[in-house]
Amino acid sequence: MAEKRIIDGRGSFCPGPLMELIAVLKMCEIGDELEVLSNDKGSANDIPEWVRKVGHEYVSTREEAGVWHITVRKTK
Amino acid sequence: MAVEKICVVVVSGTRERLQMAAMAASVAAVSGMEVTIFLSMNAVPFFIKGASTDAPSEGKFGELMVQKNAPDFKTLFRQAVELGDAKILPCSMALDIAGIDTATLEPYLGEPTGLTRFLDLAQGAQVWTF
């Protein structure tokens, strides 16, 4: 069954949160959803670009109190 | 579609240049590009096991990166290898001149490489120099 995981990249800067996402993506199952937390706006822009480029599914981005929540689904 | 090849030549020992090289190499590697990093000159001593990553800054931005906890350049280079299958090749000339034994280098580095081999690897690739 697909899981949802949170990756807390707060306090880091580009490309730190992206690299943390990729490390977890390598270990999780197809269909799993990963939500990256980041207070770095550059990562909020860059992570969806990366996801589209490599062919995973970009689900959503929302911002709450200066923290971006970027959700991605592993597709391959 | 052919895989895009990137060669990153790193000769600087300053924080800003090492950081930019590591950022570009790691993101390219995890984006499906074939990345080869050639380390030479002042960049090499940072890749001795246990060496400090406290590279001198060229300007204010280098200090800001430390204060703001930007990911350190060695972590990004290691991730380029571990997550993106990049190759990091130390320059054999730089090792000889600095008297650095290959056995003392970080384990994620590849074999010492000379310019002839590097030029062969760089054929058809974009080459970025830092």
Side-chain angles (χ1 to χ4, degrees):
Chain A
M1 200 174 108
E3 288 184 29
K4 180 157 186 175
R5 301 183 191 213
I6 305 287
I7 299 162
D8 192 349
R10 288 175 293 180
S12 186
F13 284 85
C14 183
L18 171 64
M19 302 309 275
E20 289 181 47
L21 166 67
I22 293 163
V24 177
L25 266 171
K26 288 212 168 224
M27 294 184 300
C28 70
E29 303 292 328
I30 290 171
D32 285 355
E33 221 172 77
L34 308 176
E35 183 176 326
V36 182
L37 310 185
S38 175
N39 46 11
D40 169 40
K41 193 175 180 185
S43 294
N45 292 326
D46 208 38
I47 288 174
E49 286 290 332
W50 180 84
V51 169
R52 289 190 193 101
K53 183 177 173 71
V54 302
H56 292 296
E57 184 185 342
Y58 166 63
V59 178
S60 64
T61 300
R62 64 190 162 83
E63 193 236 327
E64 280 176 21
V67 177
W68 277 269
H69 299 246
I70 307 129
T71 304
V72 173
R73 187 173 294 116
K74 178 168 175 164
T75 58
K76 58 183 186 176
Chain B
M1 200 173 91
V3 174
E4 202 171 340
K5 283 173 64 177
I6 310 281
C7 284
V8 183
V9 180
V10 193
V11 297
S12 174
T14 65
R15 183 181 300 279
E16 289 90 337
R17 287 173 192 273
L18 288 163
Q19 186 77 14
M20 194 65 232
M23 289 165 61
S26 59
V27 175
V30 298
S31 299
M33 298 175 191
E34 187 182 311
V35 175
T36 303
I37 299 147
F38 186 64
L39 296 177
S40 190
M41 312 286 178
N42 296 318
V44 174
F46 292 102
F47 291 86
I48 294 171
K49 279 179 244 180
S52 166
T53 56
D54 192 19
S57 297
E58 288 183 350
K60 204 167 181 65
F61 209 90
E63 304 302 329
L64 270 174
M65 286 194 296
V66 177
Q67 289 168 24
K68 300 278 186 173
N69 194 31
D72 82 74
F73 64 85
K74 269 179 85 170
T75 300
L76 291 173
F77 278 123
R78 181 175 49 75
Q79 288 175 328
V81 174
E82 292 177 354
L83 302 175
D85 297 324
K87 290 182 179 60
I88 304 181
L89 307 174
C91 168
S92 51
M93 176 279 287
L95 295 177
D96 288 344
I97 286 189
I100 298 169
D101 184 343
T102 310
T104 66
L105 296 173
E106 295 285 5
Y108 51 84
L109 266 59
E111 289 297 308
T113 300
L115 273 174
T116 305
R117 173 81 181 125
F118 171 70
L119 291 171
D120 189 37
L121 292 169
Q123 207 157 36
Q126 293 184 51
V127 180
W128 304 338
T129 303
F130 295 88

